[in-house]
Amino acid sequence: MKTRGSVTLFISLLLAVILGVFQVLFQSLRIAGGRVQAEAGVEEGLYSVFSGYHRELFDSYRVFFLDAGYGSAGFRPDIMLNIVEDSLGQSCYTGKRENLWNCSHGMSAVTGYTLATDNNGAAFFEQAVDYMKDTLGIQGIQLLADQLVQQKSTVEEQKIQGDYDRAKEAQEVYEQKKEEQTAVENTDAGNGQHTPADPDTAAVPQVQVPAGFQNPLDVIRQVQQMGLLGLVFPADRQLSQAEVRLEELPSHRELEKGMGSGIAVSDQGMAHQLLFLQYMMKHLGSFEKENAQEGLRYQLEYVIGGKGSDRENLECVVKELLAVRTAANMVHLLRDAGKQSQVHQMALIIGSAVGLPFLEGVISLALQAAWAFGESVLDIRCLLDGGKIPLVKDTGSWQLSLENLGKILEILKGDTDVQDQGMTYSQYLQLLLFLKDSQTRTERTMDVAEQQIRAGGQENFSLDHCVYSLEVEMGVRCGNREFTILRSYGYGM
């Protein structure tokens, strides 16, 4: 009997140990399972948060962002956190609503997030570039790069020419000398005196001035003082009167800032800049291609000008086009021997007409600047009317003769001579955008995107309330164990 009792006691003790081990194992498995389930719940919650991306922003601009304002004027990260908390709570229950894992969530917090406007719009820039990579392809990028780099080099080469600067100075000298000569003549006429000829000017040859001669320098001076946009704007188009309040745009107001390190674009080299440039050309409207019913319609022009109205932005573009075209036309004049001879002859006539024959050299330079300006005005009118203008002209593509320079106002009132060789208005816009710095392009593109979403009826929409990535820390209790789960997710992950 003692032996049987010993065996029974041994078996009981053994069963107790086994049951204890199983209990420990079950508890450990329950805690481990609960942890896995809680982690899955947090991740599912983050997925749920980011599945609510802003549909209109994606449809119009192909970028993914979550509007953390949720239709309100405020910034509501608490709503994102509540979604994750609900997902965590639901993950702890089985289909019968039983808390099989004995889990519950404790303290939780948003520990980091990145906004669309952080780091000068780095997230917006990166998504736009990624989209264009898939759309354009490597060969398209290389072709575009070769074309734009060549155009930029041509423009920069023209801008460093000192001849145009000297010609502009010659215009000022001519105007000053002419005013001085007029003042002397008026004084002498009032006193009944005659000023003797300067011995230095007596040797300068005088030429006969044609009857009815109209000094083209006086006409160009008059044109330069007029509103340029009114001279070149097509007669059959209506100028947009749209305006915005600049202080309400992201690039002008105080922005909400993200938490944490945020996103930094690793590559903003030439290829990425060109891709973003093509993104702008594809998604933003312009004078040539209006794609907006409300708000600013000349959107590419806004990126260049940065003004609060379509009129002002188009004026800025016209002025920049004038600078590019005048420099290019000046280079052509300086290289064309035939036109140089015409300038010399006309300068002698002008000098004789105004009583300043000794200023033939100065007048020649001023006349070249005036001629280049007049040709550029016709160029811009042609571009706005849908025509093309070569970046570098030759004799065949030159429009304005020197004899007609003084009749330019009459020419501008007539029909536009639309050419079909060269670059279009959009291509010139692309070149002007390429000459802008990257930060300006990105920020003003975001201005346009936000303004257009607001104009579409969502007046509370703000890009600095749009989340790109989110990090949360969730406290979890399983039985008598407590732990935290740190997870992050975003559209770039």
Side-chain angles (χ1 to χ4, degrees):
M1 295 297 293
K2 291 182 179 180
T3 302
R4 290 178 181 177
S6 298
V7 171
T8 302
L9 180 61
F10 173 76
I11 293 174
S12 298
L13 292 172
L14 180 60
L15 289 174
V17 170
I18 292 174
L19 288 174
V21 170
F22 271 108
Q23 185 177 7
V24 171
L25 289 174
F26 177 77
Q27 185 66 17
S28 298
L29 288 173
R30 191 175 191 180
I31 292 173
R35 182 171 191 136
V36 170
Q37 195 69 19
E39 290 175 346
V42 173
E43 291 176 358
E44 289 177 5
L46 287 172
Y47 298 155
S48 297
V49 169
F50 284 95
S51 68
Y53 63 90
H54 196 281
R55 299 303 196 275
E56 291 80 2
L57 187 62
F58 174 76
D59 291 341
S60 299
Y61 298 99
R62 296 298 170 181
V63 290
F64 284 102
F65 288 105
L66 169 71
D67 180 11
Y70 290 93
S72 69
F75 181 59
R76 300 293 304 279
D78 57 300
I79 295 180
M80 297 186 292
L81 185 62
N82 289 339
I83 295 174
V84 180
E85 288 176 340
D86 290 343
S87 177
L88 171 60
Q90 293 174 11
S91 71
C92 294
Y93 289 86
T94 63
K96 296 181 180 180
R97 307 304 299 166
E98 296 177 355
N99 193 339
L100 178 64
W101 308 105
N102 193 25
C103 286
S104 62
H105 67 78
M107 297 294 294
S108 58
V110 173
T111 54
Y113 52 82
T114 305
L115 302 177
T117 52
D118 286 349
N119 194 17
N120 304 123
F124 191 101
F125 179 91
E126 185 172 85
Q127 288 200 72
V129 167
D130 289 341
Y131 169 71
M132 291 310 299
K133 281 181 182 177
D134 298 334
T135 303
L136 195 59
I138 301 300
Q139 292 182 345
I141 298 171
Q142 187 59 51
L143 181 63
L144 178 67
D146 294 343
Q147 179 185 9
L148 282 177
V149 169
Q150 180 181 4
Q151 291 172 357
K152 182 182 178 183
S153 299
T154 302
V155 172
E156 289 178 343
E157 177 185 353
Q158 293 164 357
K159 284 188 175 181
I160 63 175
Q161 297 285 339
D163 298 286
Y164 181 65
D165 292 334
R166 290 196 296 271
K168 293 295 290 182
E169 293 175 1
Q171 277 188 313
E172 297 175 1
V173 171
Y174 166 76
E175 292 294 334
Q176 180 182 357
K177 293 294 185 182
K178 184 181 175 184
E179 290 176 2
E180 292 175 355
Q181 178 73 5
T182 303
V184 170
E185 290 176 353
N186 291 338
T187 301
D188 291 343
N191 297 332
Q193 298 177 354
H194 175 70
T195 303
D198 190 319
D200 293 332
T201 65
V204 178
Q206 300 267 346
V207 297
Q208 185 176 359
V209 179
F213 174 74
Q214 188 175 21
N215 188 342
L217 292 180
D218 293 340
V219 176
I220 292 300
R221 183 69 173 174
Q222 178 186 353
V223 173
Q224 289 173 338
Q225 294 174 348
M226 300 171 65
L228 180 60
L229 184 59
L231 293 173
V232 299
F233 196 84
D236 59 344
R237 289 286 300 270
Q238 185 174 358
L239 180 63
S240 170
Q241 301 300 318
E243 297 182 356
V244 295
R245 295 171 59 88
L246 291 178
E247 63 271 18
E248 296 178 354
L249 299 178
S251 64
H252 289 76
R253 68 171 186 259
E254 190 70 25
L255 298 175
E256 186 80 33
K257 302 295 184 183
M259 295 173 56
S261 58
I263 179 175
V265 178
S266 57
D267 182 7
Q268 287 198 5
M270 179 65 73
H272 281 202
Q273 296 300 332
L274 292 173
L275 285 169
F276 190 78
L277 179 60
Q278 284 305 293
Y279 172 85
M280 295 166 62
M281 300 300 296
K282 183 179 179 68
H283 291 91
L284 273 61
S286 67
F287 172 78
E288 187 176 68
K289 185 189 66 175
E290 296 183 24
N291 63 1
Q293 299 299 321
E294 302 291 339
L296 292 179
R297 299 184 181 184
Y298 307 158
Q299 298 164 1
L300 290 172
E301 286 85 352
Y302 166 74
V303 176
I304 295 172
K307 305 297 183 182
S309 70
D310 280 337
R311 172 185 285 275
E312 291 176 300
N313 288 317
L314 187 57
E315 286 176 343
C316 288
V317 168
V318 166
K319 289 178 181 178
E320 292 201 23
L321 285 175
L322 180 67
V324 171
R325 290 303 322 146
T326 304
N329 290 334
M330 188 68 181
V331 171
H332 170 75
L333 286 176
L334 293 170
R335 295 173 179 174
D336 191 310
K339 290 185 176 64
Q340 286 295 305
S341 177
Q342 295 177 45
V343 167
H344 175 71
Q345 293 299 321
M346 179 66 76
L348 290 174
I349 296 174
I350 294 174
S352 299
V354 298
L356 298 171
F358 59 94
L359 287 180
E360 186 273 330
V362 171
I363 295 174
S364 293
L365 283 174
L367 190 57
Q368 291 176 79
W371 197 2
F373 173 85
E375 178 75 6
S376 300
V377 172
L378 295 182
D379 290 344
I380 297 170
R381 187 178 72 151
C382 177
L383 290 172
L384 293 181
D385 217 19
K388 298 179 180 180
I389 295 295
L391 186 59
V392 179
K393 286 193 171 186
D394 56 22
T395 303
S397 56
W398 194 265
Q399 302 180 75
L400 183 63
S401 67
L402 187 56
E403 290 76 12
N404 287 331
L405 181 58
K407 303 175 183 177
I408 187 170
L409 288 174
E410 300 174 19
I411 295 174
L412 288 170
K413 293 177 182 178
D415 295 333
T416 305
D417 183 14
V418 178
Q419 302 186 40
D420 58 0
Q421 297 294 326
M423 294 168 54
T424 64
Y425 174 76
S426 287
Q427 289 173 317
Y428 272 98
L429 277 186
Q430 185 171 274
L431 179 58
L432 295 180
L433 288 166
F434 187 51
L435 297 174
K436 291 287 181 182
D437 63 276
S438 173
Q439 182 176 329
T440 298
R441 289 196 298 260
T442 305
E443 290 179 348
R444 291 181 180 173
T445 299
M446 291 192 297
D447 286 347
V448 171
E450 181 184 284
Q451 186 265 328
Q452 285 298 304
I453 297 296
R454 288 186 174 187
Q458 302 183 43
E459 62 276 2
N460 291 325
F461 176 79
S462 297
L463 269 175
D464 59 323
H465 292 169
C466 288
V467 175
Y468 178 70
S469 64
L470 175 68
E471 182 184 79
V472 295
E473 184 178 80
M474 310 298 293
V476 180
R477 182 181 296 105
C478 284
N480 59 354
R481 296 286 301 276
E482 295 182 359
F483 52 89
T484 59
I485 299 174
L486 184 66
R487 287 290 185 274
S488 61
Y489 188 73
Y491 293 116
M493 298 180 180

